Amino acid sequence: MSELTRKLQEQSTQQWQKANEELQRILKELGADNSQEQSITGMIRDIREKNPSFRDLMLSVDAATYDARKKFSWNAHMTSAYVLNRVEASYTNDLKPMIEDYRQQAYDRLQALIAQLRSARARFVAAAKDTENEDSQNG
């Protein structure tokens, strides 16, 4: 369990580092001087200086986030394809045989019930004929 926890922590740390690097890159492209520890107010001031109009800001945001959006889209697409592949494999390897087994069990039970029903019907018909023969002999 501790190995799993350690692995998850390493992966989450790596993801946070990647996200932080991407954010730093975006801020730099927007005009924020984030090389030193700067306050949020200072970063906003730098971004406003580089992008005086709202249109300039939107164009800068679009350009700065283009790679991140494409990576996110690619990762989402690949993740969904991977999940679909794993679901199909799980269905083929695990669920389908189990369903086939249950289906076969149900079929076998149904055949046993049909056989019992036929046997009971044959006994009932035989008993009815015996009763009919006894009535015709007595009557």
Side-chain angles (χ1 to χ4, degrees):
M1 188 66 161
S2 64
E3 178 66 22
L4 177 63
T5 304
R6 186 188 60 75
K7 215 176 208 184
L8 287 173
Q9 285 176 338
E10 285 177 6
Q11 289 176 351
S12 64
T13 301
Q14 289 174 357
Q15 292 303 318
W16 278 113
Q17 286 174 341
K18 287 180 183 178
N20 186 37
E21 289 168 5
E22 188 65 24
L23 179 61
Q24 295 298 322
R25 185 191 62 76
I26 290 171
L27 287 172
K28 186 176 182 179
E29 285 188 37
L30 289 175
D33 181 19
N34 55 358
S35 58
Q36 71 254 6
E37 293 298 321
Q38 187 178 15
S39 68
I40 299 288
T41 307
M43 283 188 208
I44 292 172
R45 184 189 64 245
D46 291 345
I47 292 172
R48 282 185 178 168
E49 286 175 8
K50 184 176 179 191
N51 305 287
S53 71
F54 183 72
R55 183 171 187 258
D56 291 338
L57 176 63
M58 288 297 101
L59 289 173
S60 293
V61 167
D62 186 46
T65 60
Y66 181 81
D67 289 340
R69 287 182 284 133
K70 291 302 175 185
K71 283 180 190 175
F72 178 76
S73 175
W74 172 259
N75 289 342
H77 180 71
M78 288 296 109
T79 300
S80 65
Y82 175 76
V83 168
L84 181 61
N85 186 323
R86 297 303 306 150
V87 166
E88 288 174 349
S90 179
Y91 171 76
T92 301
N93 297 333
D94 301 329
L95 190 59
K96 189 175 181 182
M98 187 171 58
I99 290 171
E100 288 296 322
D101 184 46
Y102 287 149
R103 189 180 133 280
Q104 188 62 44
Q105 287 178 15
Y107 179 78
D108 293 344
R109 288 179 184 168
L110 182 61
Q111 291 301 322
L113 286 173
I114 289 172
Q116 287 177 348
L117 183 61
R118 286 181 180 154
S119 174
R121 182 175 179 226
R123 286 194 308 265
F124 179 74
V125 168
K129 284 185 182 179
D130 287 344
T131 304
E132 189 177 299
N133 287 340
E134 286 178 10
D135 286 346
S136 67
Q137 287 177 356
N138 289 341

